[in-house]
């Protein structure tokens, strides 16, 4: 039985979808995926097991448009929290993943449990979000991507990831050069007619 969708549609701010050209192989960026500089950057990012970031979130789908503030807190390599709030600061969705189990609290305070966060989010909100990969994409790591491109600064520029009939494309617009390692400031995610846009206003590294 399909669960009722509980998230309210929020007003969408004016956003321009950036087009991106994605690579066919991991060797097609400015820098090779086997370069020492890229490997060193990946190692530093992988060593970040605890961090926080906050900013703006936009989901643009065929039948819905949602805008929210987001807060992401990584507790450990496999445990994290995603909080979405509306423009007045009220919670729209709180997702907590720990030890392979997911707890989602909706905007009515009701709690839902599952071992599949992607399906739970879709059933309750209508949004398609690949959480396992997203938690790596937001830090500029390719996750399970089959192909990706790397810039001269040893940053991830773009990637593609396919799962079944779904094909995801991610493009990175900018990175925060005031922290070490440098992490993304803006990224766009595209899957079919769906778009996810993330803008990170700040990072806190523990």
């Amino acid at each position: 039985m399909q669960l009722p969708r509980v998230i309210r549609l929020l007003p969408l701010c004016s956003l321009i979808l950036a087009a991106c050209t994605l690579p066919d192989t991991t060797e097609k960026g400015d820098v090779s995926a086997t370069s020492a500089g890229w490997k060193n950057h990946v190692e530093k990012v992988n060593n970040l097991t605890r961090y926080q970031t906050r900013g703006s979130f936009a989901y643009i789908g065929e039948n819905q448009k949602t805008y929210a503030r987001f807060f992401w807190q990584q507790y450990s390599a496999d445990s994290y929290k995603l909080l979405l709030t509306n423009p007045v600061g009220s919670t729209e969705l709180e997702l907590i993943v720990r030890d392979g189990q997911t707890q989602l609290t909706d905007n009515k305070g009701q709690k839902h449990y599952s071992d599949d966060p992607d399906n739970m989010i879709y059933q309750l909100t209508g949004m398609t979000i690949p959480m396992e990969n997203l938690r790596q994409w937001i830090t500029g790591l390719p996750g399970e991507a089959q192909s990706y491109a790397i810039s001269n600064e040893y940053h991830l520029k773009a990637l593609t990831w396919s799962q079944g009939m779904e094909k995801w494309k991610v493009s990175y617009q900018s990175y925060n050069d005031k922290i070490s390692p440098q992490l993304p400031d803006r990224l766009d995610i595209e899957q079919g007619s769906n778009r996810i846009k993330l803008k990170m206003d700040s990072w806190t590294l523990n």
Side-chain angles (χ1 to χ4, degrees), residues 38 41-42 45-46 133 136-143 156 159 172:
W38 167 246
H41 176 73
V42 169
V45 175
N46 277 326
N133 275 281
Q136 299 186 71
W137 294 346
I138 64 171
T139 59
L141 295 179
L156 192 60
L159 65 86
Y172 293 81

Side-chain angles (χ1 to χ4, degrees), residues 50-54 71-74 202-206:
R50 296 174 61 86
Y51 53 83
Q52 301 174 15
T53 185
R54 64 182 70 241
F71 172 71
W72 184 288
Q73 183 172 14
Q74 192 78 27
S202 65
W203 285 92
T204 302
L205 309 182
N206 297 332

Side-chain angles (χ1 to χ4, degrees), residues 5 9 12 28 48 73 82-83 93 116 119 127 129 150 170 181 191 196 206:
R5 293 178 179 175
L9 297 185
L12 182 71
K28 214 169 181 180
L48 297 174
Q73 183 172 14
L82 171 63
L83 175 67
L93 177 152
D116 186 345
N119 185 60
M127 295 189 293
I129 305 176
I150 305 161
V170 183
Q191 185 272 314
I196 300 172
N206 297 332

Side-chain angles (χ1 to χ4, degrees), residues 172-195:
Y172 293 81
Q173 281 69 56
S174 61
Y175 280 73
N176 188 325
D177 60 4
K178 296 180 175 60
I179 56 176
S180 180
Q182 296 181 7
L183 298 172
D185 271 340
R186 300 176 67 96
L187 66 145
D188 292 352
I189 304 171
E190 174 186 349
Q191 185 272 314
S193 60
N194 301 319
R195 306 287 190 276

